[in-house]
Amino acid sequence: MSNVENLIESVGELWNRYVKHEFVLKMRDGSLPLDIFRYYLVQDGKYIEDMLRALLIASSKGPIDKVTKVLNLVFSTRDKGLEIHSKLYSELSISRDEIVKTRYNLINYAYTRHLYYYANLDWNKFLVAWTPCMFGYSIIGDYVVESPHQLYKTWASFYASNEYKKRVEAILDALNEVNITEGLLSIFVDSVRFEIGFWEASLRKDPTVY
């Protein structure tokens, strides 16, 4: 059994609460209100920029072969992600300026600080903190890409793509080299909880505070 399978098994039902959250189910059946999706995209735009910065910080602390492979795949496939997100932003009248100027909701702020914290400590800790986002969205993409709603289908098409799958494979390959301790499991659990919280904050359209 791979490390990611062991980690998911260890968190039990919490994982399903993340990848089959109400937000995800509503994207899949097309019933998610567009104002909620728009709110999510703005917060997610802020998250992605911080996540990539945290990745660059953590990469200076990892094994060069694994780090290089992950970085190459993340940044060489970024154009496809940007292209899809640009379509979504255009459809929902989201500007780059809006993403920059909008404050974080509390969950997003805490989650991104969580990533920065472990990125500054250790590559393995960051990798475990990062995996729920990257691997989870691959599963979610495969599920939501069948949505009858064109916007949600478009959103999912990136996370269901071969380009994204290659990123995830490189991350999971690096993760398999890590000795998973109780401390690392705790970090993984925290990230899964943050992912659940991210969906819930979006459904509620939480106030932006930071």
Side-chain angles (χ1 to χ4, degrees):
M1 191 179 286
S2 67
N3 273 348
V4 74
E5 289 170 326
N6 281 322
L7 286 164
I8 290 171
E9 187 175 277
S10 296
V11 302
E13 184 55 28
L14 199 65
W15 183 258
N16 286 328
R17 284 176 53 200
Y18 160 38
V19 298
K20 290 293 175 69
H21 192 277
E22 179 188 354
F23 191 103
V24 176
L25 299 180
K26 285 180 178 294
M27 281 198 291
R28 163 70 182 230
D29 69 19
S31 66
L32 185 73
L34 280 179
D35 63 310
I36 288 175
F37 185 59
R38 188 184 192 284
Y39 172 97
Y40 159 79
L41 281 179
V42 172
Q43 289 296 313
D44 187 57
K46 300 184 77 63
Y47 170 87
I48 289 170
E49 294 208 353
D50 281 331
M51 178 265 284
L52 291 174
R53 290 190 187 102
L55 169 61
L56 292 175
I57 293 167
S59 66
S60 66
K61 301 170 177 64
I64 191 69
D65 56 334
K66 299 295 182 186
V67 166
T68 302
K69 185 176 181 182
V70 169
L71 289 178
N72 282 342
L73 285 168
V74 167
F75 287 100
S76 67
T77 59
R78 196 173 178 220
D79 284 350
K80 183 175 180 65
L82 289 172
E83 178 187 344
I84 287 172
H85 278 81
S86 291
K87 288 180 185 175
L88 298 173
Y89 294 164
S90 176
E91 286 285 334
L92 295 170
S93 301
I94 298 171
S95 67
R96 164 73 183 158
D97 193 50
E98 180 181 359
I99 293 172
V100 171
K101 289 183 177 178
T102 298
R103 294 181 174 189
Y104 298 83
N105 65 39
L106 188 58
I107 289 291
N108 194 11
Y109 185 79
Y111 191 8
T112 50
R113 298 324 100 171
H114 167 79
L115 293 180
Y116 278 129
Y117 177 73
Y118 289 113
N120 279 288
L121 285 183
D122 177 78
W123 167 254
N124 289 347
K125 288 183 173 70
F126 172 77
L127 195 60
V128 171
W130 187 37
T131 294
C133 170
M134 300 301 286
F135 184 55
Y137 268 54
S138 177
I139 293 168
I140 292 164
D142 288 342
Y143 182 67
V144 176
V145 78
E146 301 298 328
S147 175
H149 196 297
Q150 190 56 49
L151 273 186
Y152 304 147
K153 189 180 187 72
T154 298
W155 175 86
S157 67
F158 172 60
Y159 300 108
S161 69
N162 287 332
E163 290 91 339
Y164 189 80
K165 304 291 185 195
K166 288 176 183 175
R167 289 185 182 189
V168 173
E169 285 172 11
I171 292 163
L172 298 187
D173 180 52
L175 184 68
N176 276 331
E177 300 296 317
V178 178
N179 177 34
I180 303 297
T181 62
E182 283 298 315
L184 290 179
L185 172 59
S186 178
I187 294 170
F188 186 86
V189 169
D190 286 343
S191 287
V192 175
R193 291 188 185 280
F194 276 126
E195 288 290 348
I196 294 168
F198 206 104
W199 294 137
E200 292 178 349
S202 296
L203 282 176
R204 295 188 302 260
K205 294 173 70 175
D206 280 1
T208 54
V209 290
Y210 288 104

